[in-house]
Amino acid sequence: MLFHHAQGLTSGCRAFASELQAAGHVVHLPDLMDGKTFATLDEGMAYVRELSFDAVIERGERAVADLPNALVYAGMSLGLMPAQKLAQTRPGARGALLLHGCLPPSEFGGWPAGVSAQIHTMDADEYGDVDVAREFAASVADVELFEYPGDRHLFTDPSLDDYDEPAASQVRDRALAFLSGIA
């Protein structure tokens, strides 16, 4: 399950999902923003504030309601909220890919034993919560943190100005290795 970022279900999010699918993974890619995409992160976040963060998480929960429990939850920035909550609270979670930051595991009651995760963020990203990610990875044995040099936030989305091809390629390769280790 891959949840998109606040700029919506962009062609770049779809491209990332396609790369995972090309490697043999089934990817569910729900739209959390009513079909809307936004030119800037600020515009997307304004829409999210209208919806509420709780509504975004609830939409993510509804997206998995009819799917098996044994899923890997992936989220890009805003999408990491439902991904992380589901990985922490839905029985049977296989893992989590948290792209562009993370929340403290205490946000959803603590990290479950046996659920591995990767966190990918740039080391100077003001939105990426790198300090939270460092603390998370240091406190949970099954969590790996990958920091990339730079200050871009949505650096894995090739349809956005923040795209950083070398870093995005590393994320893709590491994510595929992670998923192959779970499957």
Side-chain angles (χ1 to χ4, degrees):
M1 177 61 66
L2 175 61
F3 297 107
H4 61 77
H5 51 70
Q7 287 184 246
L9 189 51
T10 63
S11 61
C13 292
R14 292 179 192 280
F16 186 79
S18 292
E19 290 178 333
L20 299 178
Q21 288 171 325
H25 302 285
V26 174
V27 180
H28 302 277
L29 191 60
D31 184 345
L32 304 174
M33 308 286 263
D34 303 316
K36 294 174 175 40
T37 57
F38 301 92
T40 68
L41 186 57
D42 288 340
E43 290 173 12
M45 288 305 297
Y47 183 71
V48 168
R49 282 188 284 281
E50 287 176 28
L51 292 174
S52 82
F53 291 111
D54 287 340
V56 170
I57 291 172
E58 289 168 10
R59 289 173 181 209
E61 290 171 325
R62 282 196 306 270
V64 301
D66 295 330
L67 296 175
N69 286 354
L71 295 173
V72 173
Y73 300 98
M76 300 173 130
S77 188
L78 174 75
L80 70 83
M81 291 170 53
Q84 188 171 333
K85 181 177 183 187
L86 289 162
Q88 288 187 235
T89 63
R90 192 167 189 236
R94 302 286 308 279
L97 278 170
L98 306 174
L99 307 176
H100 316 291
C102 64
L103 298 170
S106 60
E107 185 75 23
F108 304 115
W111 196 257
V115 177
S116 57
Q118 284 187 345
I119 304 167
H120 299 267
T121 190
M122 286 202 155
D123 60 7
D125 174 10
E126 67 180 291
Y127 301 110
D129 299 318
V130 71
D131 292 332
V132 172
R134 288 174 182 152
E135 186 176 320
F136 187 173
S139 66
V140 180
D142 293 332
V143 175
E144 289 182 285
L145 171 61
F146 296 100
E147 295 181 49
Y148 304 88
D151 62 358
R152 297 177 183 189
H153 184 54
L154 300 174
F155 66 95
T156 62
D157 186 326
S159 68
L160 302 178
D161 290 341
D162 271 0
Y163 183 63
D164 182 310
E165 196 279 326
S169 291
Q170 284 187 307
V171 171
R172 182 194 60 244
D173 293 347
R174 289 169 170 162
L176 287 172
F178 174 75
L179 292 171
S180 294
I182 290 174

